[in-house]
Amino acid sequence: MKVLSIVPELVEKSGNWRKHPAVTNLWKAALLLTLLVPSGQGETRVRFQPSSPTVGPFPANVLTVPDSRQKTGLRIDLPASFGACDPGTSPSVCSNTDLLNQLDGFSVNPRITVCFSDAIDTSTLAAGISLVPAGKRAPVIALNQIFYAPGKHCAFAKPDHVLKEQSDYLLLVSDAVHDASGNAVAPAPAFTACLQDKPDDYCAELSAAIKGSAPPRSHIAGASLFTTLSTTPWMEHAKHFVDTHQPSVVLPAGTPSTFNLSTIREIKWNPQGSGFPPQSIPIEVLDGVKSISFGLYLSPNFLNPLNGTIPTTPTGKGIADAIAPIPLPLPVPNVALGYAPVSFHVFLPAGPAPHPGFPVVIYGHGLGDNQFGAPTFIAGTLARKGFATLAIEITGHGYGPLSTVKLTDSNGIIHTVSTPGRGILIPGNSQIGPADGCVVPGAIAVRDCGRQTAVDLFALTRTIQETKGLGLHLDPKRIYYVGQSFGADYGTLLQALEPSIGAAVLSGAGGSLVDVARLSISGRPLAIGYLTSVSPALLNAKAGSDFNDNYPFRDRPPVVNQVSGAPAIQAAFEAADWLNMPGDPLAYAPRLKGADKPGGNTLFQFGFGDLEMPDPTQSAVIRAADARLASWFFRFDAAAQIDPPLLGLTYPGVGFPILPHRILSNPTIFDVPAETSVSLAAQQQAAEYFSSRGKSNPDPNPYLTGIFAGTKLFHIPAHLPESLNFLVPVPE
């Protein structure tokens, strides 16, 4: 009646009454009302308490405060009560509240939460809940991995793909969600009042976003507005710091530091603090390699040496003052405190160096490995194609700073070179372990180890360029990268931000880091340790020694929870997942350069039944990079049918089968002919890819030999695998 009553007055006063502000506002209100009033609604409401992460809808910007120091202009402000986890509830977030409240937005891989006043028909959740970029008529983002906690009538889910950083999104709940009786859900009175009365800034922003983004004819029963965090700025600041402050210094590791392998009888690495005997570097696998050179370069250290983490800084500010003051073990002119000496070695190919030098492949080794492990077993293949292979001692690896390599020449003379490790002695331990200083207890785990290692690689590429190839006949304009396992993870950060890397092969990259920990056989102890550290401990299986998180896999029907404690475990993992995004390969994969296009420069390798980077985690990174057509899937199931002993292939100290995860390069690859065939085929593919400067997509199958000759064990997958495909029993 109000609309009709004012029209005569407006007609009398203005011939163009439709443009009168009062009418315009009323039409907007009427439009909003049509969006909010579904037909055939029941009594079940979408609960609306956005200031509560347990009720939601979550995420919501009402849980932030303004902060001009941040790129998003916001900072998370979760209630302090969410520092504890209650296994009897269905929280969206639990644990690590203080760390989360330092971030400038919500995860780009968020777990959304929508709660209802009564039971829901879970088959309608996928059609009725979605995400849309705020303020845009953009395509709807569907949800996946839907989980329903019947006790609290709450639904949880993940977006179908990784969201953009520093972006606003609407979480929309429509009347396509039905309750258990088949009736459409209705908006809560609090939600209707929020949009119509706009009692606070959040409600005003939410109302405006819905008007600018809601699809026509949607009947909205609930919504939230949230901003995603900045994932890459810290790494971008670090890259800028390296570009502007990197010392052009290469330090000799000994006198001499370069050795012709034809004059060397034995090479042994002597790690300090491991408690293990010296490790031999097998010269016999280095066919095609002429010489080995050792050296040290400098990298800015941002890790706190006391706890192995990188302090969180405002994303809108630089990080020059965040460099950790670690003194160098020897004086270097014009170099301030805060630079760490990084040990490297280079395998140079036989034959004269081309002008302006050998193209170089940096090898990123895996977690717990070292610069003398896997890189050694690919160097021959690369050398025969004319590439030098360079490996560094990554953050937290290589044991102690007094580690050395001893080379015995043909005259029996022993030459010692310095290869300082970067591990630290963990309080309470008597020895430095293989990854001590990289793996941090709790939610952070390897996030900052990966970020610091990416910084080390920024510094390496800059040093190669500034020193004209380290003085070792390397071409500073032809630098490539190959990473295996964790080396593929931090390699994703490198490849996303370092334009000097001409092409990269990422073998066994997985994300998110939290999903790797909870799903993999090698990462599960880290996940158990994290859940034990949460208060109260959240282990709910095997008499409190393990966990069952009951997470759904992608593209499956919703999981209705029947596992006690699973919602709280998921919430704890989601807090860690959120914290890890600034260093997670999943957040950087969308920035890989043209991965799924002809002429792109990133190639992926992964395998069926991976125990260490399970298939869903590898698929997630490839999907985030939009790189299915640039990925090659090793059908380990087919290989194991032809040669069953591959199912049990391992080596001392591992305790579980190493294939198919370690297909590219490892100490066993020349011991078992069937493994040799697969590994050399994967290596040849990488070498061919680098030879084309990343412009080709070479098929590795023609390189298979022996028992696998003529087979097709590698495929570009028609569909990425989204569930676990373990072929061997997982140890209890």
Side-chain angles (χ1 to χ4, degrees):
M1 294 298 295
K2 281 187 177 181
V3 174
L4 294 177
S5 66
I6 67 169
V7 168
E9 177 186 355
L10 294 174
V11 171
E12 181 179 337
K13 293 184 177 181
S14 172
N16 194 14
W17 58 272
R18 291 182 179 84
K19 293 185 178 181
H20 191 282
V23 173
T24 301
N25 290 335
L26 285 169
W27 280 123
K28 287 182 178 179
L31 172 62
L32 183 60
L33 192 63
T34 65
L35 295 175
L36 291 175
V37 182
S39 59
Q41 68 183 38
E43 297 298 322
T44 301
R45 307 278 179 173
V46 179
R47 298 184 67 190
F48 185 76
Q49 192 178 341
S51 61
S52 169
T54 58
V55 178
F58 177 88
N61 277 353
V62 72
L63 294 166
T64 65
V65 292
D67 189 340
S68 61
R69 302 171 302 163
Q70 309 289 354
K71 276 188 170 291
T72 63
L74 301 173
R75 182 171 47 79
I76 297 299
D77 188 30
L78 293 172
S81 60
F82 282 86
C85 300
D86 182 356
T89 69
S90 302
S92 299
V93 176
C94 71
S95 78
N96 300 291
T97 300
D98 290 343
L99 292 176
L100 291 169
N101 282 346
Q102 298 178 41
L103 302 178
D104 73 345
F106 295 92
S107 177
V108 294
N109 184 40
R111 184 173 83 149
I112 69 96
T113 302
V114 178
C115 294
F116 303 90
S117 63
D118 209 335
I120 292 298
D121 178 356
T122 58
S123 68
T124 65
L125 290 170
I129 307 177
S130 60
L131 297 171
V132 295
K136 301 176 183 177
R137 297 286 180 176
V140 169
I141 301 168
L143 299 181
N144 214 312
Q145 296 176 268
I146 298 173
F147 176 87
Y148 182 71
K152 298 290 183 178
H153 312 308
C154 292
F156 306 88
K158 291 282 204 175
D160 197 49
H161 60 73
V162 176
L163 305 181
K164 292 182 179 181
E165 65 175 323
Q166 303 166 19
S167 299
D168 294 332
Y169 287 90
L170 274 170
L171 166 60
L172 297 176
V173 188
S174 79
D175 65 338
V177 177
H178 292 176
D179 63 19
S181 300
N183 296 312
V185 296
F191 176 61
T192 303
C194 174
L195 298 190
Q196 292 182 345
D197 300 337
K198 306 177 187 61
D200 53 39
D201 289 345
Y202 174 72
C203 285
E205 292 169 358
L206 177 61
S207 176
I210 290 175
K211 292 174 186 175
S213 309
R217 300 180 183 176
S218 295
H219 292 143
I220 299 173
S224 71
L225 174 68
F226 66 95
T227 303
T228 54
L229 84 167
S230 303
T231 54
T232 60
W234 189 92
M235 290 300 306
E236 292 168 340
H237 290 319
K239 176 71 169 61
H240 176 74
F241 183 90
V242 168
D243 288 344
T244 54
H245 295 90
Q246 181 60 25
S248 301
V249 177
V250 179
L251 305 174
T255 306
S257 291
T258 296
F259 303 87
N260 192 315
L261 291 185
S262 66
T263 68
I264 298 299
R265 191 169 67 198
E266 183 182 65
I267 306 177
K268 283 194 173 181
W269 177 50
N270 303 274
Q272 179 216 355
S274 67
F276 298 113
Q279 174 181 315
S280 293
I281 301 173
I283 300 174
E284 64 273 11
V285 305
L286 296 171
D287 179 40
V289 175
K290 179 181 181 180
S291 63
I292 182 172
S293 297
F294 301 87
L296 305 168
Y297 72 97
L298 301 178
S299 179
N301 180 74
F302 294 97
L303 279 176
N304 183 330
L306 299 179
N307 59 22
T309 66
I310 295 174
T312 299
T313 53
T315 55
K317 303 290 184 180
I319 58 172
D321 57 352
I323 186 169
I326 295 180
L328 288 169
L330 66 169
V332 180
N334 302 318
V335 176
L337 296 180
Y339 283 84
V342 180
S343 172
F344 70 87
H345 73 279
V346 183
F347 292 113
L348 291 169
H355 180 77
F358 291 110
V360 59
V361 177
I362 300 169
Y363 190 100
H365 68 71
L367 190 67
D369 196 7
N370 58 78
Q371 63 171 309
F372 303 110
T376 303
F377 296 87
I378 193 175
T381 298
L382 294 174
R384 291 189 294 275
K385 296 291 290 187
F387 293 96
T389 301
L390 188 157
I392 71 170
E393 208 61 84
I394 75 165
T395 304
H397 288 69
Y399 299 92
L402 300 181
S403 297
T404 62
V405 165
K406 295 184 181 294
L407 303 97
T408 305
D409 66 21
S410 53
N411 295 319
I413 299 174
I414 298 176
H415 305 270
T416 301
V417 296
S418 175
T419 58
R422 305 180 69 196
I424 63 173
L425 184 63
I426 302 297
N429 292 354
S430 60
Q431 300 283 353
I432 300 175
D436 288 351
C438 179
V439 182
V440 177
I444 299 300
V446 298
R447 181 197 72 182
D448 291 345
C449 175
R451 289 202 290 177
Q452 178 63 52
T453 300
V455 172
D456 298 340
L457 294 170
F458 295 154
L460 173 61
T461 57
R462 188 71 174 178
T463 302
I464 292 172
Q465 294 168 334
E466 294 295 322
T467 60
K468 297 182 179 180
L470 306 177
L472 296 173
H473 305 293
L474 304 179
D475 186 347
K477 293 185 178 180
R478 292 192 65 189
I479 305 173
Y480 304 102
Y481 181 83
V482 59
Q484 178 172 282
S485 189
F486 187 46
D489 280 355
Y490 59 75
T492 302
L493 278 60
L494 171 73
Q495 177 69 343
L497 298 178
E498 178 53 78
S500 299
I501 302 298
V505 173
L506 304 178
S507 185
S512 68
L513 295 172
V514 169
D515 282 347
V516 172
R518 67 180 188 82
L519 291 175
S520 75
I521 187 173
S522 53
R524 197 169 184 88
L526 295 176
I528 291 173
Y530 167 57
L531 293 178
T532 302
S533 72
V534 172
S535 179
L538 297 177
L539 301 179
N540 64 343
K542 297 182 181 177
S545 64
D546 205 340
F547 66 90
N548 179 357
D549 54 37
N550 203 24
Y551 263 105
F553 290 108
R554 281 181 59 88
D555 303 330
R556 300 287 185 86
V559 169
V560 178
N561 185 55
Q562 302 295 332
V563 177
S564 177
I569 291 173
Q570 291 184 15
F573 279 141
E574 291 299 332
D577 196 69
W578 184 0
L579 280 173
N580 274 269
M581 281 300 119
D584 200 296
L586 195 63
Y588 287 77
R591 295 190 58 165
L592 294 182
K593 298 175 278 293
D596 208 17
K597 300 174 183 177
N601 62 351
T602 307
L603 184 145
F604 289 86
Q605 298 173 338
F606 68 131
F608 183 99
D610 196 323
L611 290 168
E612 298 178 76
M613 290 281 191
D615 290 344
T617 69
Q618 298 186 77
S619 293
V621 171
I622 293 169
R623 185 173 52 254
D626 193 21
R628 180 184 61 82
L629 297 180
S631 64
W632 288 83
F633 190 42
F634 169 51
R635 292 306 301 250
F636 182 50
D637 51 340
Q641 285 184 341
I642 298 171
D643 191 39
L646 287 176
L647 287 170
L649 184 65
T650 189
Y651 54 84
V654 175
F656 52 81
I658 60 174
L659 292 183
H661 181 62
R662 310 184 191 199
I663 60 173
L664 184 66
S665 183
N666 253 331
T668 60
I669 69 170
F670 293 106
D671 298 336
V672 179
E675 186 191 11
T676 304
S677 173
V678 172
S679 293
L680 291 186
Q683 291 180 9
Q684 290 276 23
Q685 180 189 41
E688 289 291 341
Y689 188 62
F690 297 140
S691 294
S692 74
R693 304 188 183 215
K695 303 301 182 185
S696 66
N697 193 11
D699 183 350
N701 290 299
Y703 298 111
L704 292 168
T705 59
I707 194 172
F708 297 133
T711 64
K712 290 188 177 296
L713 299 182
F714 293 87
H715 301 268
I716 294 176
H719 303 283
L720 294 171
E722 303 295 357
S723 60
L724 298 178
N725 298 306
F726 296 155
L727 296 176
V728 294
V730 177
E732 293 293 328

